Amino acid sequence: MEGDCLSCMKYLMFLFNFFIFLGGACLLGLGIWVIVDPTGFREIVAANPLLFTGAYIMLAMGAMLFLLGFLGCCGAIRENKCLLLFFFMFILLIFLAELSAAILAFIFRENLTREFFTKELKKHYLRNNDTDVFSSTWNSVMITFACCGVNGPEDFESVPHFPYSSLEKATPEACCQRELQSREGMFVNKEACLTGVERFQNRQGCYTVILNSFETYVYLAGALAIGVLAIELFAMIFAMCLFRGIQ
C-alpha cells in the first residue's frame, strides 16, 4: 500500500513539474517577445524603468521555472533525494519572489494609471525630436496603434512645440492618419491634419486603444500567474512527501 502511494506521489510530482515546465516556457516566450518585439511595444518598456525591469524579471523567472520543471521531473522519475531537496529549495525561493513581485505590482499600480501617463507625456514629450528616447517612443506607439496622446489630441495643447506656421495646431505629426501604420507609411493628408482638420487625425487616446488591445492578454497572464503559483505550491508539497517516502 505504501509503495502504491509512493508511486502515485511520484507521478503526481512529475505531472505538476511538467506544468511548471510549460508555465516557465510561456513566461520565457512572453519575456523574449516583449524585449525583441518590433512593433513598438518594446520601446514603451524601454522608456519605463518599472516595465523594463519587470520584463527582465519575467524572462529570468521563466528561464528558472523552465529549468526547475525539468529538474523536478527528473528528480521524481529517478527518485533522487538530493535532486528533490534542491528542487524544493529553489522552487520555494521562486515562489516567495513571485509573491513579492505581485505585492509590489499591487502597491505601485498607480504608476500605470491614465493620470500618470498623461502627466509624464505633458512633462517630457518633445514632439518630432527623434533623438529623445521618450518622444521617439511615444511617436512610435501613436503611429503603430493609430492613436493620439493618452486621452486624445487635447493632451498636446499644453505641450511646448517647435514654431509652426500660424495655421498649425498643437497636434504632432504622429497623430496624423497614415495609409500604413508605420513610420514609412504615407500621410493621408498631413497639412490638413496639422491645421486641425479632425477627420485626418487619429482622435482616440492610446491608453484606451492599448488597454483594449491587451486586455485579454492581461487577464490571461494574471490567470496564468495564479495557476503557476498554485502548481508550485502543490509541487513543493509533493516534493517533500516524496522526499520523506524515499528510502
Side-chain angles (χ1 to χ4, degrees):
M1 186 67 180
E2 186 178 345
D4 291 339
C5 287
L6 187 63
S7 179
C8 180
M9 194 72 68
K10 179 174 73 173
Y11 288 111
L12 282 174
M13 172 75 177
F14 178 85
L15 181 63
F16 275 110
N17 277 284
F18 180 70
F19 283 119
I20 289 174
F21 176 82
L22 290 181
C26 290
L27 284 176
L28 187 62
L30 186 60
I32 293 172
W33 176 79
V34 168
I35 291 169
V36 304
D37 173 54
T39 62
F41 188 67
R42 175 188 58 188
E43 295 175 348
I44 304 176
V45 173
N48 190 315
L50 281 174
L51 293 179
F52 185 76
T53 304
Y56 277 97
I57 288 174
M58 180 169 60
L59 189 65
M61 287 296 176
M64 291 181 70
L65 286 174
F66 183 85
L67 176 62
L68 285 174
F70 177 76
L71 291 176
C73 288
C74 292
I77 293 298
R78 291 178 175 270
E79 297 184 9
N80 187 310
K81 294 186 74 170
C82 182
L83 201 55
L84 286 171
L85 185 61
F86 173 81
F87 166 81
F88 176 84
M89 295 302 296
F90 272 86
I91 208 76
L92 178 62
L93 288 175
I94 291 176
F95 180 83
L96 293 175
E98 288 174 339
L99 200 58
S100 300
I103 293 170
L104 288 173
F106 178 79
I107 293 172
F108 292 105
R109 67 190 184 282
E110 65 272 8
N111 286 343
L112 298 177
T113 61
R114 185 188 296 268
E115 291 73 21
F116 172 80
F117 285 118
T118 303
K119 178 184 174 182
E120 291 296 301
L121 177 68
K122 292 182 177 181
K123 183 179 179 182
H124 300 292
Y125 184 67
L126 300 177
R127 299 184 176 272
N128 299 322
N129 185 356
D130 285 336
T131 59
D132 177 68
V133 174
F134 186 89
S135 303
S136 176
T137 295
W138 265 105
N139 288 336
S140 294
V141 170
M142 291 189 290
I143 292 169
T144 301
F145 290 95
C147 55
C148 188
V150 179
N151 308 289
E154 63 274 10
D155 289 343
F156 299 101
E157 292 176 1
S158 60
V159 174
H161 53 89
F162 301 123
Y164 297 130
S165 70
S166 58
L167 293 175
E168 290 179 323
K169 305 296 183 182
T171 306
E173 287 183 9
C175 288
C176 296
Q177 292 182 5
R178 298 170 184 251
E179 294 177 0
L180 179 65
Q181 297 307 318
S182 70
R183 287 183 178 270
E184 294 73 32
M186 297 292 292
F187 290 100
V188 176
N189 192 328
K190 179 180 174 181
E191 291 73 18
C193 168
L194 294 178
T195 53
V197 180
E198 294 186 2
R199 66 192 182 94
F200 295 113
Q201 298 175 349
N202 295 316
R203 304 292 301 176
Q204 194 169 14
C206 293
Y207 190 89
T208 301
V209 172
I210 294 175
L211 197 64
N212 290 339
S213 299
F214 290 98
E215 186 176 14
T216 303
Y217 301 104
V218 168
Y219 288 125
L220 183 62
L224 178 63
I226 292 171
V228 167
L229 286 173
I231 290 170
E232 287 171 359
L233 185 61
F234 280 109
M236 286 189 289
I237 294 171
F238 284 129
M240 287 311 297
C241 291
L242 188 59
F243 178 85
R244 289 172 61 86
I246 295 174
Q247 301 299 324

